[in-house]
Amino acid sequence: MPTASLSAIAAGYRHSVLLLPDGTVRACGENTYGQCEVSGWRDIVAVAAGNAHTGNSHTVGLRPDGTVIAAGWNKHDQCNVGDWHDIIAIAAGWRRTVGLKADGTIVAAGRNNEGQCEVSGWADIVAVTAGDWHTVGLKADGTAITAGNNRYGQRNVNGWQELTMIAAGYLHTAGLRADGTVVAAGLNKRGQGEVGGWCNIKSIAAGSHHTIGLAWDGTVMAAGWNDYGQCEVSNWQNIVAVAAGCTHTLGLQADGVVVAAGSNAYRQCDVEK
Protein backbone atom coordinates (compact mmCIF):
# COMPACT_ATOMS: atom_id res chain seq x y z
CA MET A 1 0.00 0.00 0.00
CA PRO A 2 1.40 3.47 -0.84
CA THR A 3 2.31 5.71 2.06
CA ALA A 4 2.76 9.44 2.49
CA SER A 5 6.26 10.65 1.72
CA LEU A 6 8.00 13.48 3.55
CA SER A 7 9.93 15.88 1.36
CA ALA A 8 13.33 17.33 2.25
CA ILE A 9 13.44 19.62 -0.79
CA ALA A 10 10.82 21.80 -2.40
CA ALA A 11 10.75 24.04 -5.45
CA GLY A 12 8.41 27.00 -5.63
CA TYR A 13 7.68 29.47 -8.38
CA ARG A 14 10.99 31.27 -7.98
CA HIS A 15 12.47 29.86 -4.78
CA SER A 16 13.96 26.65 -3.39
CA VAL A 17 13.69 25.10 0.07
CA LEU A 18 15.91 22.56 1.82
CA LEU A 19 15.19 20.70 5.05
CA LEU A 20 18.41 19.91 6.91
CA PRO A 21 18.91 16.74 8.98
CA ASP A 22 18.79 18.76 12.20
CA GLY A 23 15.24 19.94 11.45
CA THR A 24 16.17 23.45 10.38
CA VAL A 25 15.31 24.89 6.97
CA ARG A 26 17.13 26.93 4.34
CA ALA A 27 15.69 28.79 1.38
CA CYS A 28 16.99 30.77 -1.55
CA GLY A 29 15.44 32.72 -4.38
CA GLU A 30 12.72 35.33 -4.57
CA ASN A 31 11.65 36.62 -1.17
CA THR A 32 9.21 39.38 -2.09
CA TYR A 33 6.57 38.07 0.30
CA GLY A 34 8.86 36.48 2.87
CA GLN A 35 8.63 32.98 1.42
CA CYS A 36 12.33 32.47 2.16
CA GLU A 37 12.14 33.66 5.76
CA VAL A 38 12.44 30.21 7.31
CA SER A 39 15.73 30.52 9.17
CA GLY A 40 13.94 30.49 12.51
CA TRP A 41 12.08 27.27 11.88
CA ARG A 42 13.01 24.31 14.09
CA ASP A 43 12.03 20.65 14.43
CA ILE A 44 10.67 20.45 10.87
CA VAL A 45 10.15 17.03 9.25
CA ALA A 46 8.88 18.03 5.79
CA VAL A 47 8.69 21.11 3.58
CA ALA A 48 6.53 22.25 0.68
CA ALA A 49 6.66 25.29 -1.59
CA GLY A 50 3.80 26.92 -3.44
CA ASN A 51 4.44 26.44 -7.13
CA ALA A 52 2.74 28.35 -9.90
CA HIS A 53 2.98 29.07 -13.59
CA THR A 54 3.01 32.73 -12.63
CA GLY A 55 2.52 34.75 -9.49
CA ASN A 56 3.66 34.75 -5.89
CA SER A 57 4.53 31.94 -3.52
CA HIS A 58 4.68 30.62 0.03
CA THR A 59 6.54 27.97 2.01
CA VAL A 60 5.11 25.39 4.40
CA GLY A 61 6.75 23.27 7.08
CA LEU A 62 5.48 20.22 8.97
CA ARG A 63 6.46 19.63 12.58
CA PRO A 64 6.76 16.18 14.21
CA ASP A 65 3.80 16.94 16.47
CA GLY A 66 1.53 17.23 13.45
CA THR A 67 1.29 21.02 13.43
CA VAL A 68 2.12 23.21 10.45
CA ILE A 69 3.92 26.52 9.93
CA ALA A 70 3.90 28.76 6.87
CA ALA A 71 5.63 31.86 5.52
CA GLY A 72 5.13 34.03 2.48
CA TRP A 73 2.27 35.26 0.34
CA ASN A 74 -1.02 35.03 2.22
CA LYS A 75 -3.52 37.01 0.15
CA HIS A 76 -5.92 34.06 0.05
CA ASP A 77 -5.24 32.80 3.61
CA GLN A 78 -3.06 29.98 2.31
CA CYS A 79 -0.71 30.51 5.25
CA ASN A 80 -3.48 30.35 7.87
CA VAL A 81 -2.59 26.83 8.99
CA GLY A 82 -1.63 27.52 12.60
CA ASP A 83 -4.60 25.64 13.99
CA TRP A 84 -4.04 22.46 11.99
CA HIS A 85 -3.15 19.32 13.94
CA ASP A 86 -2.57 15.60 13.38
CA ILE A 87 -1.02 16.37 9.97
CA ILE A 88 1.34 13.77 8.48
CA ALA A 89 2.03 15.27 5.04
CA ILE A 90 1.72 18.66 3.34
CA ALA A 91 1.42 20.08 -0.17
CA ALA A 92 1.42 23.63 -1.48
CA GLY A 93 -0.20 24.82 -4.68
CA TRP A 94 -0.80 28.23 -6.12
CA ARG A 95 -2.62 30.27 -3.45
CA ARG A 96 -3.39 27.31 -1.19
CA THR A 97 -2.04 24.74 1.26
CA VAL A 98 -3.22 21.17 1.70
CA GLY A 99 -2.65 18.86 4.65
CA LEU A 100 -3.09 15.10 5.02
CA LYS A 101 -4.28 14.06 8.46
CA ALA A 102 -3.36 10.86 10.26
CA ASP A 103 -6.89 9.54 9.84
CA GLY A 104 -6.67 9.77 6.05
CA THR A 105 -8.75 12.91 5.67
CA ILE A 106 -7.68 16.20 4.08
CA VAL A 107 -7.74 19.85 5.13
CA ALA A 108 -7.14 22.83 2.84
CA ALA A 109 -6.68 26.58 3.16
CA GLY A 110 -6.59 29.23 0.47
CA ARG A 111 -8.17 30.08 -2.84
CA ASN A 112 -11.14 27.92 -3.80
CA ASN A 113 -12.51 29.61 -6.92
CA GLU A 114 -12.06 26.42 -8.94
CA GLY A 115 -13.17 24.07 -6.15
CA GLN A 116 -9.58 22.99 -5.52
CA CYS A 117 -10.09 23.15 -1.74
CA GLU A 118 -13.27 21.06 -1.72
CA VAL A 119 -11.59 18.02 -0.20
CA SER A 120 -13.36 17.73 3.14
CA GLY A 121 -15.23 14.59 2.05
CA TRP A 122 -12.14 12.65 1.06
CA ALA A 123 -11.21 9.56 3.07
CA ASP A 124 -8.56 6.82 3.05
CA ILE A 125 -5.98 9.21 1.58
CA VAL A 126 -2.29 8.38 1.92
CA ALA A 127 -0.71 11.20 -0.10
CA VAL A 128 -1.74 14.52 -1.59
CA THR A 129 -0.42 16.93 -4.22
CA ALA A 130 -1.47 20.41 -5.28
CA GLY A 131 -1.26 21.91 -8.74
CA ASP A 132 -2.14 25.44 -9.67
CA TRP A 133 -5.91 24.94 -9.89
CA HIS A 134 -6.44 21.29 -8.98
CA THR A 135 -5.76 18.97 -6.06
CA VAL A 136 -5.10 15.24 -6.25
CA GLY A 137 -5.26 12.66 -3.49
CA LEU A 138 -3.76 9.18 -3.55
CA LYS A 139 -6.04 6.62 -1.92
CA ALA A 140 -4.96 3.57 0.07
CA ASP A 141 -6.18 1.29 -2.71
CA GLY A 142 -3.80 2.85 -5.22
CA THR A 143 -6.37 4.97 -7.03
CA ALA A 144 -6.61 8.75 -7.23
CA ILE A 145 -9.27 11.33 -6.39
CA THR A 146 -9.31 14.93 -7.60
CA ALA A 147 -10.89 18.35 -7.06
CA GLY A 148 -10.73 21.65 -8.90
CA ASN A 149 -10.24 22.75 -12.48
CA ASN A 150 -10.39 20.15 -15.26
CA ARG A 151 -10.23 22.34 -18.35
CA TYR A 152 -7.37 20.37 -19.87
CA GLY A 153 -8.27 16.95 -18.47
CA GLN A 154 -5.77 17.16 -15.61
CA ARG A 155 -8.33 15.43 -13.40
CA ASN A 156 -8.95 12.54 -15.78
CA VAL A 157 -7.29 9.95 -13.55
CA ASN A 158 -10.25 7.70 -12.75
CA GLY A 159 -8.80 4.74 -14.61
CA TRP A 160 -5.42 4.85 -12.92
CA GLN A 161 -4.60 1.84 -10.73
CA GLU A 162 -1.77 0.59 -8.53
CA LEU A 163 -0.43 4.09 -7.91
CA THR A 164 2.30 4.72 -5.35
CA MET A 165 2.82 8.45 -5.90
CA ILE A 166 1.17 11.43 -7.58
CA ALA A 167 2.37 14.85 -8.69
CA ALA A 168 0.41 17.86 -9.93
CA GLY A 169 1.74 20.65 -12.12
CA TYR A 170 0.11 23.75 -13.57
CA LEU A 171 -2.43 21.92 -15.74
CA HIS A 172 -1.21 18.32 -15.72
CA THR A 173 -1.04 15.37 -13.34
CA ALA A 174 1.46 12.52 -13.20
CA GLY A 175 1.11 9.20 -11.43
CA LEU A 176 3.74 6.62 -10.51
CA ARG A 177 2.66 2.99 -10.69
CA ALA A 178 3.92 0.17 -8.50
CA ASP A 179 5.73 -1.34 -11.49
CA GLY A 180 7.86 1.79 -11.89
CA THR A 181 6.05 3.18 -14.92
CA VAL A 182 4.47 6.62 -15.10
CA VAL A 183 1.15 7.91 -16.46
CA ALA A 184 0.07 11.48 -17.14
CA ALA A 185 -3.11 13.43 -17.84
CA GLY A 186 -3.86 17.00 -18.78
CA LEU A 187 -2.15 19.66 -20.84
CA ASN A 188 0.65 18.27 -22.99
CA LYS A 189 1.51 21.28 -25.13
CA ARG A 190 5.11 21.26 -23.91
CA GLY A 191 5.45 17.46 -23.87
CA GLN A 192 5.14 17.29 -20.09
CA GLY A 193 2.87 14.26 -20.42
CA GLU A 194 5.20 12.22 -22.61
CA VAL A 195 6.30 9.84 -19.87
CA GLY A 196 4.94 6.59 -21.31
CA GLY A 197 8.39 5.18 -21.99
CA TRP A 198 9.72 5.69 -18.50
CA CYS A 199 10.49 2.65 -16.34
CA ASN A 200 12.19 1.75 -13.06
CA ILE A 201 11.02 5.04 -11.54
CA LYS A 202 10.85 5.41 -7.75
CA SER A 203 9.71 9.03 -7.42
CA ILE A 204 8.18 11.80 -9.53
CA ALA A 205 7.72 15.57 -9.43
CA ALA A 206 5.71 17.96 -11.57
CA GLY A 207 6.67 21.51 -12.40
CA SER A 208 4.55 24.05 -14.18
CA HIS A 209 5.17 22.56 -17.62
CA HIS A 210 7.63 19.71 -17.00
CA THR A 211 7.71 16.33 -15.29
CA ILE A 212 10.65 14.75 -13.47
CA GLY A 213 11.28 11.07 -12.77
CA LEU A 214 13.82 9.69 -10.32
CA ALA A 215 14.99 6.20 -11.21
CA TRP A 216 15.98 3.52 -8.72
CA ASP A 217 19.62 3.79 -9.83
CA GLY A 218 19.77 7.44 -8.74
CA THR A 219 19.57 8.94 -12.20
CA VAL A 220 16.91 11.42 -13.31
CA MET A 221 14.82 11.90 -16.44
CA ALA A 222 12.65 14.77 -17.56
CA ALA A 223 9.93 15.62 -20.05
CA GLY A 224 8.40 18.92 -21.04
CA TRP A 225 9.30 22.57 -21.21
CA ASN A 226 13.04 23.15 -21.28
CA ASP A 227 13.42 26.78 -22.33
CA TYR A 228 15.41 27.51 -19.16
CA GLY A 229 17.29 24.21 -18.99
CA GLN A 230 15.03 22.85 -16.26
CA CYS A 231 15.01 19.44 -17.95
CA GLU A 232 18.79 19.16 -18.29
CA VAL A 233 19.16 16.56 -15.56
CA SER A 234 20.38 13.53 -17.48
CA ASN A 235 23.88 13.80 -16.00
CA TRP A 236 22.74 13.80 -12.38
CA GLN A 237 23.86 10.84 -10.27
CA ASN A 238 23.18 9.43 -6.79
CA ILE A 239 19.93 11.38 -6.44
CA VAL A 240 17.51 10.39 -3.66
CA ALA A 241 14.82 13.06 -4.06
CA VAL A 242 13.61 15.50 -6.71
CA ALA A 243 11.46 18.62 -6.82
CA ALA A 244 10.18 20.72 -9.71
CA GLY A 245 9.33 24.42 -9.72
CA CYS A 246 8.09 26.66 -12.48
CA THR A 247 11.33 26.95 -14.44
CA HIS A 248 13.82 25.04 -12.29
CA THR A 249 14.43 21.54 -10.95
CA LEU A 250 16.12 20.37 -7.76
CA GLY A 251 17.80 17.11 -6.88
CA LEU A 252 19.02 15.91 -3.49
CA GLN A 253 22.08 13.66 -3.62
CA ALA A 254 22.70 10.79 -1.22
CA ASP A 255 25.52 12.78 0.38
CA GLY A 256 23.14 15.64 1.21
CA VAL A 257 24.30 17.93 -1.57
CA VAL A 258 21.61 19.71 -3.60
CA VAL A 259 21.90 20.19 -7.35
CA ALA A 260 19.78 22.44 -9.53
CA ALA A 261 18.99 23.07 -13.17
CA GLY A 262 17.01 25.79 -14.90
CA SER A 263 16.41 29.48 -14.45
CA ASN A 264 18.44 31.27 -11.82
CA ALA A 265 17.04 34.74 -12.42
CA TYR A 266 16.05 35.01 -8.75
CA ARG A 267 18.97 32.88 -7.44
CA GLN A 268 16.62 29.95 -6.90
CA CYS A 269 19.39 27.65 -8.14
CA ASP A 270 22.01 28.96 -5.70
CA VAL A 271 21.75 25.81 -3.62
CA GLU A 272 25.43 24.96 -3.20
CA LYS A 273 26.02 27.43 -0.39
Side-chain angles (χ1 to χ4, degrees), residues 224-273:
W225 189 33
N226 193 38
D227 287 9
Y228 294 89
Q230 61 265 48
C231 289
E232 296 176 6
V233 297
S234 61
N235 64 333
W236 290 3
Q237 302 287 331
N238 301 316
I239 303 298
V240 296
V242 289
C246 180
T247 58
H248 74 295
T249 303
L250 301 178
L252 176 63
Q253 295 180 166
D255 60 3
V257 173
V258 181
V259 291
S263 173
N264 196 33
Y266 293 84
R267 306 187 71 176
Q268 63 265 52
C269 289
D270 288 355
V271 294
E272 297 180 357
K273 299 177 181 179

Side-chain angles (χ1 to χ4, degrees), residues 17-42:
V17 186
L18 170 66
L19 171 62
L20 296 172
D22 64 359
T24 61
V25 181
R26 291 181 184 174
C28 63
E30 184 182 25
N31 193 37
T32 304
Y33 289 87
Q35 58 265 51
C36 289
E37 296 177 6
V38 297
S39 60
W41 290 9
R42 299 289 185 273

Side-chain angles (χ1 to χ4, degrees), residues 94-139:
W94 186 40
R95 309 185 186 192
R96 76 188 184 286
T97 304
V98 183
L100 169 62
K101 302 193 73 172
D103 64 1
T105 61
I106 301 290
V107 290
R111 188 178 189 268
N112 192 38
N113 293 37
E114 307 282 335
Q116 59 268 56
C117 288
E118 296 176 5
V119 296
S120 59
W122 291 7
D124 300 319
I125 306 299
V126 296
V128 66
T129 182
D132 272 35
W133 297 336
H134 71 296
T135 304
V136 186
L138 174 60
K139 303 193 72 173

Side-chain angles (χ1 to χ4, degrees), residues 10-198:
Y13 176 45
R14 292 169 172 168
H15 76 295
S16 301
V17 186
L18 170 66
L19 171 62
L20 296 172
D22 64 359
T24 61
V25 181
R26 291 181 184 174
C28 63
E30 184 182 25
N31 193 37
T32 304
Y33 289 87
Q35 58 265 51
C36 289
E37 296 177 6
V38 297
S39 60
W41 290 9
R42 299 289 185 273
D43 298 321
I44 303 299
V45 296
V47 290
N51 194 6
H53 69 291
T54 184
N56 305 309
S57 195
H58 67 295
T59 304
V60 186
L62 175 64
R63 298 188 182 103
D65 63 0
T67 60
V68 180
I69 188 172
W73 192 43
N74 195 35
K75 181 179 179 180
H76 300 271
D77 297 328
Q78 59 265 45
C79 292
N80 293 356
V81 295
D83 61 346
W84 287 8
H85 57 88
D86 299 323
I87 305 297
I88 60 172
I90 50 175
W94 186 40
R95 309 185 186 192
R96 76 188 184 286
T97 304
V98 183
L100 169 62
K101 302 193 73 172
D103 64 1
T105 61
I106 301 290
V107 290
R111 188 178 189 268
N112 192 38
N113 293 37
E114 307 282 335
Q116 59 268 56
C117 288
E118 296 176 5
V119 296
S120 59
W122 291 7
D124 300 319
I125 306 299
V126 296
V128 66
T129 182
D132 272 35
W133 297 336
H134 71 296
T135 304
V136 186
L138 174 60
K139 303 193 72 173
D141 64 1
T143 62
I145 186 171
T146 64
N149 183 287
N150 194 36
R151 181 177 179 183
Y152 292 92
Q154 62 266 40
R155 293 179 54 195
N156 295 348
V157 301
N158 291 340
W160 292 2
Q161 303 286 332
E162 299 182 350
L163 298 174
T164 61
M165 190 174 185
I166 47 176
Y170 169 35
L171 293 169
H172 77 290
T173 304
L176 174 63
R177 294 194 183 109
D179 64 0
T181 61
V182 181
V183 289
L187 186 67
N188 192 35
K189 184 177 181 180
R190 302 278 188 168
Q192 59 265 51
E194 297 177 5
V195 296
W198 292 4

